[in-house]
């Protein structure tokens, strides 16, 4: 019979072995893309998995700035992502709070509409979106693309924010009203600080969605000066003449930098918001 300490040690070994294996599986694609970006040539098929640091070629990163409009694509992507993050988060928090803490006519029907809207991806309305943007002269504009992204995320953001606010006791609002606080004061001074985890999660998720989107961007943004990184990098590997996969990998590495920085800075809030929204939604 094994002692309790021995059983605990074995359990720790098994658990940490599984975690290490999962970490290797998850991080290997990231490592491969980075190694591909510093390998010589233009193909990833001939990339060495463990090349010598002396053989690393940083010329692919220079090619992004010298031979392609990478800076323009990067600026466009950051502008669109930040704008979508602000608009989506603002509407999601306000509407989620209203559905959670207030009673009004059509509330039940509104929640049902939100649930139904989440069943249909934005791409299903591509023709209608294209026609509507054309009627308002918003095709090939960042404003039109941002509005489409923000509108497409309202239903999901509202639902998940509502789930978080449902977990906050109504007694806090009642106590604030007894002390003479208005609805706006209650929201901004009491509810909003408590909702920072879900707000951070929604903002981060909206930022990533706008940064990674390709299909809607390809439909709406036609001019190369308005392209996002997803569109611009796709031109490096699309077609028989374009096979700059190593330059593509370099561009993918650079776009991941702000995403990783944001994640590590707001990691605690993101994890708390994800779990809280899932449990209380």
């Amino acid at each position: 019979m094994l002692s309790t300490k021995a059983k605990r040690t074995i359990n720790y070994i098994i658990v940490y072995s599984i975690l290490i294996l999962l970490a290797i599986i998850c991080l290997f694609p990231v490592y491969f893309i980075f190694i591909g970006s510093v390998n010589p040539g233009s193909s990833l098929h001939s990339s060495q998995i463990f090349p010598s640091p002396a053989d690393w070629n940083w010329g692919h990163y220079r090619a992004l700035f010298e031979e392609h409009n990478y800076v323009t694509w990067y600026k466009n992507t950051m502008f669109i992502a930040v704008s979508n993050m602000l608009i989506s988060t603002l509407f999601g928090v306000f509407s989620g709070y209203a559905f959670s803490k207030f009673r009004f006519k059509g509330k039940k029907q509104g929640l049902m509409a939100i649930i139904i809207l989440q069943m249909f991806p934005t791409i299903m309305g591509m023709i209608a979106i294209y026609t509507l943007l054309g009627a308002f002269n918003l095709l090939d504009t960042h404003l039109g693309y941002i509005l489409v992204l923000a509108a497409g995320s309202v239903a999901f953001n509202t639902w998940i924010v509502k789930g978080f606010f449902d977990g906050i006791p109504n007694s806090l609002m009642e106590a604030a009203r007894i002390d003479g606080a208005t609805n706006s004061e209650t929201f901004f001074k009491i509810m909003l600080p408590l909702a920072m985890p879900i707000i951070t999660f929604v903002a981060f998720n909206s930022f990533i969605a706008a940064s990674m989107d390709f299909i809607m961007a390809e439909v709406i943004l036609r001019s190369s000066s308005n392209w996002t990184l997803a569109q611009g990098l796709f031109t490096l590997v699309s077609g028989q003449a374009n096979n700059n996969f190593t330059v593509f990998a370099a561009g993918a590495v650079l776009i991941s930098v702000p995403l990783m920085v944001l994640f590590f800075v707001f990691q605690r809030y993101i994890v708390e918001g994800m779990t809280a929204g899932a449990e209380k939604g």
Side-chain angles (χ1 to χ4, degrees):
M1 291 291 293
L2 294 174
S3 64
T4 303
K5 184 177 181 180
K7 291 181 180 179
R8 188 182 298 113
T9 302
I10 294 174
N11 288 335
Y12 282 149
I13 293 174
I14 294 174
V15 169
Y16 281 104
S17 298
I18 295 174
L19 292 176
I20 292 172
L21 178 62
L22 290 176
I24 293 174
I25 294 174
C26 294
L27 293 177
F28 180 76
V30 179
Y31 170 79
F32 182 76
I33 291 296
F34 171 74
I35 289 300
S37 70
V38 295
N39 262 268
S42 60
S43 175
L44 294 179
H45 295 289
S46 59
S47 297
Q48 301 180 26
I49 302 298
F50 303 104
S52 172
D55 297 331
W56 288 9
N57 178 16
W58 299 96
H60 304 307
Y61 289 89
R62 289 195 300 270
L64 285 172
F65 299 96
E66 297 175 357
E67 302 175 13
H68 305 282
N69 295 326
Y70 189 78
V71 174
T72 300
W73 303 337
Y74 208 102
K75 289 180 180 178
N76 292 341
T77 302
M78 290 299 103
F79 172 73
I80 292 170
V82 172
S83 300
N84 177 63
M85 178 183 69
L86 295 176
I87 296 174
S88 300
T89 305
L90 183 68
F91 280 96
V93 171
F94 282 164
S95 57
Y97 179 72
F99 275 109
S100 175
K101 298 302 182 183
F102 293 97
R103 295 180 180 179
F104 50 88
K105 286 186 177 181
K107 177 179 178 179
K108 184 177 180 180
Q109 292 78 3
L111 290 174
M112 287 298 299
I114 289 174
I115 296 175
I116 294 173
L117 286 174
Q118 291 186 74
M119 298 171 58
F120 302 98
T122 307
I123 193 175
M124 290 188 62
M126 184 181 297
I127 297 177
I129 291 172
Y130 187 88
T131 304
L132 188 63
L133 292 179
F136 286 94
N137 295 321
L138 291 176
L139 278 177
D140 198 20
T141 64
H142 290 160
L143 176 60
Y145 181 46
I146 291 169
L147 292 177
V148 171
L149 289 176
S153 62
V154 166
F156 172 78
N157 291 345
T158 298
W159 184 255
I160 196 171
V161 172
K162 175 192 174 298
F164 186 89
F165 278 121
D166 285 344
I168 299 178
N170 292 332
S171 58
L172 293 176
M173 296 179 59
E174 296 170 358
R177 288 169 182 166
I178 292 174
D179 291 338
T182 62
N183 286 331
S184 59
E185 289 175 339
T186 302
F187 174 73
F188 286 106
K189 295 183 179 180
I190 298 177
M191 293 298 178
L192 203 60
L194 293 175
M196 281 306 298
I198 197 64
I199 293 174
T200 305
F201 170 73
V202 169
F204 183 74
N205 193 56
S206 300
F207 186 90
I208 289 183
S211 301
M212 300 292 104
D213 180 70
F214 171 76
I215 297 178
M216 291 307 301
E218 187 69 7
V219 171
I220 298 173
L221 304 176
R222 309 305 300 171
S223 302
S224 59
S225 60
N226 290 330
W227 282 353
T228 63
L229 274 173
Q231 292 175 277
L233 292 178
F234 181 72
T235 61
L236 301 179
V237 295
S238 61
Q240 295 181 350
N242 299 326
N243 57 355
N244 297 317
F245 286 95
T246 48
V247 179
F248 176 91
V253 171
L254 291 182
I255 186 56
S256 66
V257 172
L259 301 181
M260 289 189 296
V261 171
L262 284 176
F263 178 80
F264 285 114
V265 171
F266 300 105
Q267 179 181 8
R268 180 169 64 89
Y269 291 117
I270 292 171
V271 174
E272 289 179 6
M274 188 185 304
T275 54
E279 292 174 358
K280 299 168 187 173

